[in-house]
Amino acid sequence: MPDPIHRIDGNAIAASLVAELKAEVAALPPPRPCIAFVRVGEDPASVSYVAKKDRTAAEIGMETRLHVLPDAVGEEELFAVIDALNADPLVHGILVQAPLPPHLDEVRTFRRVSPLKDVDGFHSENLGKLCQEDDAGFVACTPAGIMELLARESLDLAGLHVVVLGRSLIVGKPVGLLALQKKPLANATVTFCHSRTRDLPAITRQADVLIAAIGRPRFVTAEMIKPGAVVIDVGINRIADPSRKSGSRLVGDVDFAAVAPLASKITPVPGGVGPMTVAMLMKNTLKARRLAGS
Ligand code: GUN
């Protein structure tokens, strides 16, 4: 029997984007696009995400730099590293991996990165440009990746109800703004839900497209879904699994086994949104290199 579940294959879509970017980078005159990663501490998830971004950049033919700072680093020292990267003409993009340790202020840190090198799209200037629908800015990679996935699945959001579960700076807010834009494939009606939302299932059941970005393993259950909805799972949560050799496995914010049979399309975890985040970071870095002109 054919598999009735329509998985959106983020690995395949990201791989084709990466191949397109590789060809574009190869056609550029020197210098090669260069992205600098700043990682604070040794959080295992951050170590693995930065390593993946670094590998993909190298695969595309980009230069990479990695700055690893101790967990206890002060703001002054962190900002000195960012300032030096801002001033370096051979560095086109800068990414400070989140989350930062609690003594460091993430928003102040994101604002320290030059808006012209802010390939994460977290600087106030780039968030402002997103609100103003000014394409000259940088859009955060996970939200941009979700829009790219939907576009490549030929899904036009015009008039559809997109419900965003989560209001983070990194995913929830920017993805809602992107879906809302007065642009081809967007024009959605958008609702943001969060931990204080009353009767959450009543709202999520209205979603034509549900974007789950709250970081709670398998939070979205079948009762929260309208049959036929498109479900985008942004969660990457590690849970204990004694049946695995590693003792753990990754799950999303959506209870995939229960929700997938109801959804018209759904992203798996892993292999859905995650690879798109990396691909869009590469796209932003190429854009930063083109902006710099050299
Ligand atoms: N942590 C989780 N997602 C992201 C991201 O897109 N960029 C950065 N800098 N940190 C993250």
Side-chain angles (χ1 to χ4, degrees):
M1 217 171 72
D3 185 356
I5 294 169
H6 184 130
R7 285 178 181 76
I8 301 177
D9 187 346
N11 280 328
I13 297 172
S16 64
L17 240 168
V18 162
E20 288 163 30
L21 292 169
K22 190 172 177 175
E24 285 187 60
V25 168
L28 276 179
R32 294 199 287 173
C34 173
I35 178 164
F37 302 102
V38 180
R39 198 188 79 217
V40 179
E42 298 297 327
D43 168 62
S46 291
V47 171
S48 136
Y49 297 151
V50 170
K52 172 72 187 154
K53 291 168 187 176
D54 189 82
R55 275 199 308 276
T56 307
E59 181 193 331
I60 289 178
M62 293 181 177
E63 298 279 346
T64 67
R65 307 235 190 122
L66 175 60
H67 294 262
V68 179
L69 303 173
D71 198 64
V73 72
E75 184 182 84
E76 211 174 309
E77 200 182 327
L78 171 62
F79 283 10
V81 170
I82 295 173
D83 291 348
L85 294 170
N86 283 340
D88 187 336
L90 288 177
V91 171
H92 305 105
I94 301 169
L95 178 140
V96 182
Q97 183 67 26
L100 291 173
H103 68 279
L104 294 167
D105 183 323
E106 282 186 359
V107 169
R108 271 172 63 83
T109 305
F110 295 146
R111 283 189 189 148
R112 192 75 179 198
V113 174
S114 161
L116 297 172
K117 299 188 179 187
D118 172 35
V119 285
D120 253 332
F122 298 157
H123 191 286
S124 330
E125 195 170 312
N126 286 315
L127 286 165
K129 284 184 174 158
L130 172 60
C131 288
Q132 292 165 342
E133 308 198 8
D134 176 348
D135 288 336
F138 292 102
V139 176
C141 304
T142 302
I146 292 169
M147 296 302 283
E148 186 74 26
L149 273 185
L150 296 173
R152 293 203 183 209
E153 289 286 315
S154 307
L155 191 76
D156 185 353
L157 298 180
L160 297 186
H161 191 184
V162 171
V163 175
V164 181
L165 209 46
R167 52 177 159 179
S168 71
L169 180 67
I170 290 181
V171 185
K173 283 192 198 107
V175 79
L177 287 171
L178 282 172
L180 184 67
Q181 286 190 328
K182 209 169 180 174
K183 287 191 180 161
L185 302 182
N187 292 295
T189 300
V190 178
T191 301
F192 291 95
C193 299
H194 47 79
S195 54
R196 305 285 282 271
T197 298
R198 288 192 198 161
D199 198 0
L200 183 65
I203 298 172
T204 57
R205 273 198 300 269
Q206 294 171 31
D208 300 305
V209 178
L210 180 66
I211 301 175
I214 41 167
R216 293 176 62 176
R218 293 180 292 196
F219 178 84
V220 176
T221 54
E223 300 71 50
M224 297 169 76
I225 301 291
K226 172 165 76 175
V230 173
V231 179
I232 304 294
D233 189 351
V234 188
I236 306 179
N237 310 291
R238 189 163 287 283
I239 60 161
D241 182 351
S243 74
R244 296 274 176 106
K245 215 165 102 187
S246 64
S248 69
R249 72 187 159 105
L250 292 179
V251 296
D253 289 351
V254 176
D255 182 350
F256 188 90
V259 167
L262 286 172
S264 60
K265 294 181 182 198
I266 185 166
T267 59
V269 176
V273 174
M276 292 303 292
T277 299
V278 181
M280 298 316 281
L281 176 67
M282 301 304 132
K283 194 169 174 189
N284 277 350
T285 305
L286 178 57
K287 180 173 175 172
R289 159 68 180 79
R290 290 209 163 107
L291 269 180
S294 66

